Amino acid sequence: EVQLLESGGTLVQPGGSLRLSCAASGFTFRSYAMSWVRQAPGKGLEWVSTIARGDRTYYADSVRGRFTISRDNSETTLYLQMNSLRADDTAVYYCARDIKVNCAGDCPPDYWGQGTLVTISS
Amino acid sequence: SYVLTQPPSVSVAPGQTARITCGGNSIGSKNVHWYQQKPGQAPVLVVYDNSDRPSGIPERFSGSNSGNTATLTINRVEAGDEADYYCQVWDSSINHWVFGGGTKLTVL
């Protein structure tokens, strides 16, 4: 059974840093592109970042230069390092797995975690 | 950047057909994916690549895509279909995922 379990969400002051983790199990982690998608309270879905085939990384304009996506295939864990956090980064952050193996970043996610809440406030 | 436009809300009576649209410039040339999200839950992929269904998704859910509009169709709507629905495409010009603003489906 595919499982994705996010952790690391908490309350952080503006300008601070945080690292989110997503522990994956039930599939060959290294074969799949993985993404982070966030949802601000009461708002819609917003794509954040994807790490795809060959560890190519892609970022939304709103987070490029502040966030870094990475993965540890030996630990089957996806990460999101978030720096210079702002109030508008407040959201539930979901990690998600692509529907197909070895995608170049353009395959939709079919498995999602339950999310972890990041709150940026002083 | 590429913009996807969805109606904020759609209402339908039980047993009827719901159609949720997703507009975008020449969206017919892209693969469109649809997600269902119920309150407090993670999104669920219900249609991908315009018209394919992941395993476990009822046949009542279908999709089409042509010209400037993609459509998610839900036949024989049930109370349990009440949720927010989002369309999504990959903008290959800038290698970004794009989501529509979401449509709240209300079952009357």
Side-chain angles (χ1 to χ4, degrees):
Chain A
E1 179 192 4
V2 173
Q3 291 193 359
L4 299 170
L5 183 61
E6 303 95 338
S7 62
T10 189
L11 172 63
V12 178
Q13 290 190 339
S17 297
L18 193 62
R19 188 177 82 160
L20 304 183
S21 301
C22 172
S25 61
F27 64 100
T28 305
F29 179 74
R30 64 179 180 274
S31 296
Y32 287 84
M34 300 290 296
S35 298
W36 289 97
V37 176
R38 68 185 180 183
Q39 187 169 35
K43 302 297 184 182
L45 301 175
E46 180 188 15
W47 171 73
V48 173
S49 181
T50 295
I51 184 165
R53 185 175 59 205
D55 282 349
R56 290 197 66 178
T57 57
Y58 306 100
Y59 297 94
D61 293 345
S62 59
V63 306
R64 183 179 292 109
R66 300 188 299 124
F67 290 11
T68 303
I69 190 172
S70 62
R71 64 193 300 162
D72 184 332
N73 291 333
S74 64
E75 296 291 330
T76 66
T77 301
L78 177 73
Y79 299 102
L80 185 68
Q81 177 67 43
M82 304 187 295
N83 299 329
S84 303
L85 285 162
R86 313 184 303 221
D88 62 359
D89 293 319
T90 294
V92 173
Y93 285 73
Y94 296 100
C95 77
R97 188 205 81 167
D98 272 10
I99 194 170
K100 303 175 187 176
V101 297
N102 295 324
C103 283
D106 55 348
C107 296
D110 64 339
Y111 282 95
W112 298 61
Q114 284 305 303
T116 187
L117 177 61
V118 173
T119 303
I120 310 303
S121 176
S122 55
Chain B
S1 61
Y2 195 77
V3 176
L4 295 175
T5 302
Q6 297 182 237
S9 63
V10 168
S11 299
V12 63
Q16 299 304 303
T17 297
R19 294 180 180 84
I20 298 172
T21 59
C22 177
N25 185 32
S26 299
I27 195 173
S29 66
K30 302 180 182 297
N31 282 325
V32 179
H33 320 294
W34 292 91
Y35 298 87
Q36 175 195 70
Q37 187 182 32
K38 297 180 180 179
Q41 298 184 19
V44 173
L45 183 67
V46 293
V47 168
Y48 69 100
D49 290 353
N50 302 316
S51 59
D52 290 338
R53 279 185 312 277
S55 61
I57 301 301
E59 292 183 5
R60 300 186 297 106
F61 289 82
S62 63
S64 62
N65 184 19
S66 180
N68 292 319
T69 305
T71 303
L72 173 69
T73 301
I74 309 172
N75 293 318
R76 302 179 299 283
V77 167
E78 303 172 357
D81 298 331
E82 190 163 281
D84 294 325
Y85 291 83
Y86 297 90
C87 58
Q88 178 198 35
V89 301
W90 174 255
D91 184 351
S92 58
S93 67
I94 56 173
N95 291 329
H96 278 39
W97 279 113
V98 179
F99 283 99
T103 297
K104 181 175 180 58
L105 176 66
T106 299
V107 181
L108 300 170

